[in-house]
Amino acid sequence: MRYTGSLLLTLIVCVAGCTPPPEFRQNAVEVKKLELQTLGEEEQFAAGQLEDIGSFLTAAFGTPDEPDFPGLVEDDPEVNLVTQEHLVSAAGPVASLEDGEAQGLYREHCVHCHGISGDGSGPTSAFLNPYPRDFRLGKFKYKSTPLNVPPTQEDLRRILKNGIPNTAMPSFRRLPDEEIDALVDYVKYLTIRGRTERDLLSILAEDPDPALDFIASEEQFEAADEAIEAAVESGDEEPYPPLFGPNDVVDEVVFPQVDQWFEAVDSMTEVPQRPVELSPGHPDRDMWIARGKDLFFSTGACVQCHGKLALGDGQVDDYDDWTKDWMKTLGIDPAETERINEFVGLGAMPPRNLIPRNLRLGNYRGGSRPVDLYLRIKNGIEGTPMPAAAVSLTSDDIWSLVEYVRQLPNESLSQPAVQQPVNERAPR
Amino acid sequence: MNRVWSLLFLLVPILGTLLIVWAIFGAWPLAGLWLPENVNEYGGVIDHLFNLILWITGVIFIGTGAILALTMWPAKGGSRRAAYVHGNHTLEIIWAVIPAGILVFLSIYQLNAWAENKMDRPVEVVDGEERLVPPSVRVVARQFDWDFFYPGPDGKFDTVDDFMVTGEVHVPKNQPVVFQIESSDVLHSFFVPSLRVKQDIVPGMKQFVWFEANKAGRYEIACTELCGWGHYKMGAVLEVQEEEDYAVWLQETTAKCLAISQSFEE
């Protein structure tokens, strides 16, 4: 009976709930990177200033259990980029309400790869190739908008519905549309929260004077104003004014991003009709495809990365922007295991080369519609070394390239031998 | 005390039978645990075999349970001491020969079911000539999704107008349908409970499955071979449609998946 007491205690603790509510993780990689860049070795940002950023983020964006969004007034998708209703059903622990409405969708479907903070380092992430996306950089690969413009609502919906073939991102087609939209909103929410954190850290890094009050609360802000006025009147030395009030941050850092997301739909790339000469069966099709092949090796410069046989074996030692963001910026050599491990310990994924796509497999991650391929070539793929098409390439050129690439998997070179089925036989 | 044990053992066949009957009727909380309604013309033989085996095993299960309880029931008028029995040739031969006989009977009895579902692909008559129904969809399993490839307008696979839909496949009602199934990575198994169709998929091999759905609706497709961490959520939807609806869907999907222009001015 020696253990009765401790057993009882364990039972009580477990029944009462062992885990504290989850919290968003600080972007420690970005903090370390900026510290190394602006302050030098061994130096750190003032803890109070980092806390300022943390408490601003909590005040503006809430917690994983109770998310919030700056400027969320009414539940109207026309006014708000994300709606309260969507945030509530995507966030929080997994549950379903009495009327059957789902809650905690992000934690049910996404969190084990993308992580609670949307940093792409959930528990299963280490086993995946490619790694799950870290939303905080604000870069999206497969979209109908040009580089550096956020994806449209429809782009994100399509990714959720189709998944990303040849990666661990599955299709969520069986979820009702309402739940897909809720998750899309939550992705935007995590992205903007992550970008805001990064932007604030960059602003801090520009002037990392520990004496500055980085983001003051409203009361502190007013008190500081009064203090400055008093100092001016009495002729004393003026105290430092706070850099920012929370409203300034929302106006100057959050809202411009929200505007970008809203305006994305206006900058969608138009895809002109594919020339009739390229439609299957047209007598000139082969000629046009030959032109696409020429471009593949010349102006298009596709051959540099995708290789002479389009097997994705041209250039194979580059990295994606999520890795370059800290590794290349700080000039760390991938062979410097100790320095790499320091960042991996802070939450970065171990660097891995980004291998160009093998175009003979017929696997198109961003979608297999001809327009998808057109958009990939025209706009490039954000966050990767795949560049936007050279300006000198006309839409006809790009369509020739698209059709050249689309017929590669059907060339005999691309067809692997498959054992004939055992249950293939002539009719009796 | 012996009576208590005897009755306890008797509970096993009683509860077991009750549970199965309960599940068959689908009453709460066992709703949806039994096999769903069969909607496949070729699925009847599978159901017949399943029920036959269930009856055989059910009778043996109840019988052995009852015999066990009966032998433990104390004899009238006093306690009986347990006796040590060493071997009984006749009994051993009986309980080896009877199951063996049942097995041999089943393996011969099911030959047609196997042939119908795995060997004799449906035949269609085109231009007065008989030929096997060609696969209308190529199912490619991957970790952890089902991709459905359609041959496109030209009706041939491995041409430039093939297209692919992930996670959802449509088929027409009352028509023999053949799927060609492959894996792009590891072992998977294609299972449609409502069609009684199940086929393991081996990478590097292709297999055919066929069925003729006779009821429109949306049915579940599941992977039934542990294929990795995401196995539990590797599923898709099979939608059986009336012929006209299917034609419309195919046309719309073809246009959508082979989109060759996109204009955003509305």
Side-chain angles (χ1 to χ4, degrees):
Chain A
M1 288 293 107
R2 283 161 57 198
Y3 303 113
T4 316
S6 49
L7 267 177
L8 208 66
L9 197 70
T10 318
L11 200 71
I12 290 170
V13 168
C14 282
V15 169
C18 309
T19 41
E23 283 172 15
F24 286 123
R25 275 187 4 195
Q26 186 197 41
N27 193 340
V29 173
E30 186 69 8
V31 171
K32 185 76 193 168
K33 177 185 104 181
L34 290 171
E35 281 172 354
L36 286 173
Q37 266 189 314
T38 54
L39 302 176
E41 295 285 338
E42 308 294 320
E43 299 279 322
Q44 289 182 334
F45 290 132
Q49 293 183 326
L50 291 179
E51 262 170 42
D52 275 356
I53 296 181
S55 32
F56 165 77
L57 288 171
T58 309
F61 292 96
T63 63
D65 278 348
E66 285 176 36
D68 196 359
F69 196 79
L72 204 60
V73 201
E74 297 148 55
D75 244 358
D76 179 4
E78 300 291 318
V79 181
N80 294 316
L81 184 70
V82 301
T83 67
Q84 182 72 34
E85 196 192 343
H86 283 163
L87 282 187
V88 167
S89 56
V94 181
S96 54
L97 301 180
E98 270 177 33
D99 59 3
E101 199 179 309
Q103 278 203 305
L105 291 168
Y106 184 79
R107 268 179 238 176
E108 183 175 358
H109 300 295
C110 321
V111 78
H112 62 87
C113 291
H114 290 287
I116 196 85
S117 321
D119 53 6
S121 54
T124 43
S125 60
F127 309 109
L128 306 182
N129 188 0
Y131 292 130
R133 186 59 50 239
D134 171 357
F135 302 128
R136 299 171 306 174
L137 208 59
K139 296 194 177 191
F140 291 85
K141 285 185 174 177
Y142 309 115
K143 54 186 185 182
S144 51
T145 50
L147 297 178
N148 301 319
V149 177
T152 65
Q153 180 89 2
E154 198 50 45
D155 287 336
L156 292 179
R157 265 189 212 138
R158 188 177 301 123
I159 293 289
L160 279 180
K161 284 201 168 183
N162 294 343
I164 303 181
N166 211 10
T167 75
M169 174 75 183
S171 149
F172 292 96
R173 193 180 290 276
R174 280 173 299 162
L175 297 189
D177 285 351
E178 187 58 23
E179 295 186 5
I180 297 233
D181 280 352
L183 286 170
V184 165
D185 270 10
Y186 202 70
V187 167
K188 291 187 207 162
Y189 161 79
L190 286 174
T191 305
I192 292 177
R193 188 192 173 281
R195 271 281 306 273
T196 303
E197 183 182 15
R198 288 176 63 93
D199 288 355
L200 285 173
L201 286 168
S202 307
I203 295 171
L204 175 63
E206 279 168 21
D207 192 5
D209 186 339
L212 286 177
D213 202 355
F214 188 53
I215 307 173
S217 67
E218 276 304 297
E219 296 86 51
Q220 282 175 315
F221 208 59
E222 281 163 25
D225 262 354
E226 282 165 23
I228 292 172
E229 269 175 42
V232 171
E233 274 173 27
S234 62
D236 288 344
E237 196 187 344
E238 283 180 39
Y240 276 111
L243 210 52
F244 266 148
N247 290 334
D248 301 325
V249 182
V250 170
D251 285 345
E252 289 169 30
V253 181
V254 182
F255 282 165
Q257 290 183 58
V258 173
D259 290 343
Q260 280 185 352
W261 279 86
F262 265 127
E263 288 156 13
V265 75
D266 300 327
S267 15
M268 281 166 81
T269 306
E270 191 165 330
V271 181
Q273 175 91 28
R274 181 177 71 187
V276 279
E277 288 85 351
L278 279 167
S279 44
H282 194 280
D284 290 348
R285 181 176 155 89
D286 288 347
M287 213 175 72
W288 279 63
I289 284 180
R291 175 174 153 205
K293 186 175 183 178
D294 279 348
L295 291 168
F296 188 91
F297 287 92
S298 59
T299 328
C302 316
V303 65
Q304 283 178 16
C305 295
H306 292 284
K308 284 180 186 152
L309 294 176
L311 289 164
D313 56 354
Q315 161 285 119
V316 289
D317 52 5
D318 211 338
Y319 295 89
D320 65 19
D321 284 7
W322 288 266
T323 305
K324 282 183 191 167
D325 179 56
W326 54 275
M327 199 175 76
K328 284 276 149 77
T329 311
L330 293 172
I332 301 175
D333 190 281
E336 291 175 81
T337 325
E338 250 175 56
R339 293 194 72 191
I340 295 283
N341 284 346
E342 187 186 353
F343 278 89
V344 170
L346 291 172
M349 301 306 282
R352 203 150 56 183
N353 286 123
L354 190 68
I355 308 298
R357 187 68 41 244
N358 177 349
L359 298 173
R360 292 190 176 270
L361 295 176
N363 267 315
Y364 306 110
R365 288 185 180 170
S368 52
R369 301 174 306 162
V371 286
D372 288 324
L373 273 72
Y374 185 98
L375 286 166
R376 297 296 93 74
I377 296 178
K378 173 76 183 165
N379 290 342
I381 299 176
E382 192 167 275
T384 75
M386 171 87 180
V391 196
S392 59
L393 288 180
T394 65
S395 67
D396 282 0
D397 290 339
I398 296 179
W399 271 121
S400 304
L401 265 171
V402 167
E403 290 301 317
Y404 170 65
V405 168
R406 285 187 70 227
Q407 55 87 45
L408 283 174
N410 300 326
E411 287 185 350
S412 56
L413 175 69
S414 318
Q415 296 286 338
V418 174
Q419 192 184 330
Q420 284 311 300
V422 286
N423 55 354
E424 171 92 287
R425 48 145 68 181
R428 283 189 292 187
Chain B
M1 195 62 197
N2 274 354
R3 290 188 179 177
V4 176
W5 283 113
S6 170
L7 288 174
L8 269 180
F9 273 89
L10 195 61
L11 274 181
V12 175
I14 291 176
L15 286 182
T17 313
L18 209 69
L19 214 63
I20 287 176
V21 174
W22 198 324
I24 290 175
F25 281 98
W28 186 90
L30 302 183
L33 290 188
W34 202 248
L35 275 174
E37 183 198 359
N38 170 39
V39 297
N40 181 4
E41 286 293 318
Y42 314 142
V45 281
I46 306 286
D47 270 358
H48 171 71
L49 270 182
F50 179 84
N51 289 329
L52 177 71
I53 294 171
L54 183 68
W55 274 109
I56 296 174
T57 50
V59 167
I60 292 173
F61 172 65
I62 294 169
T64 46
I67 292 171
L68 188 62
L70 209 67
T71 47
M72 293 180 81
W73 193 261
K76 225 178 193 178
S79 69
R80 191 175 52 176
R81 280 180 66 90
Y84 188 75
V85 180
H86 179 80
N88 183 331
H89 255 275
T90 327
L91 256 177
E92 280 166 17
I93 287 171
I94 289 174
W95 76 49
V97 166
I98 291 181
I102 294 175
L103 274 181
V104 171
F105 162 72
L106 283 177
S107 57
I108 295 170
Y109 185 77
Q110 61 77 48
L111 280 177
N112 271 336
W114 181 261
E116 272 176 43
N117 279 281
K118 300 287 181 197
M119 293 158 84
D120 294 342
R121 211 160 111 195
V123 180
E124 63 181 8
V125 180
V126 178
D127 300 333
E129 253 185 68
E130 267 200 348
R131 63 160 191 179
L132 294 168
V133 175
S136 54
V137 176
R138 180 190 282 163
V139 183
V140 179
R142 65 172 157 94
Q143 290 172 316
F144 299 97
D145 258 323
W146 298 97
D147 292 339
F148 301 96
F149 289 81
Y150 290 78
D154 70 350
K156 283 190 205 125
F157 283 108
D158 298 322
T159 53
V160 78
D161 63 354
D162 294 5
F163 64 90
M164 183 262 273
V165 180
T166 297
E168 192 171 314
V169 63
H170 291 228
V171 295
K173 201 178 109 175
N174 293 335
Q175 262 187 35
V177 174
V178 177
F179 281 1
Q180 174 184 322
I181 57 179
E182 294 169 16
S183 164
S184 62
D185 36 43
V186 298
L187 286 174
H188 297 278
S189 181
F190 179 79
F191 183 34
V192 192
S194 298
L195 295 176
R196 311 291 191 261
V197 161
K198 188 188 263 185
Q199 177 62 56
D200 281 10
I201 317 172
V202 182
M205 273 176 81
K206 58 179 177 185
Q207 302 277 338
F208 295 109
V209 299
W210 48 85
F211 55 87
E212 187 178 329
N214 53 22
K215 191 176 171 190
R218 285 167 74 81
Y219 305 102
E220 189 187 7
I221 298 174
C223 177
T224 41
E225 179 72 56
L226 181 60
C227 58
W229 65 267
H231 168 64
Y232 70 98
K233 60 174 164 188
M234 180 168 169
V237 173
L238 175 109
E239 184 156 349
V240 179
Q241 289 179 305
E242 301 291 343
E243 225 167 300
E244 315 81 83
D245 298 343
Y246 173 72
V248 171
W249 175 86
L250 190 64
Q251 203 180 3
E252 279 173 3
T253 309
T254 307
K256 214 164 69 181
C257 292
L258 293 175
I260 50 166
S261 78
Q262 195 159 311
S263 173
F264 305 118
E265 292 156 17
E266 295 200 355

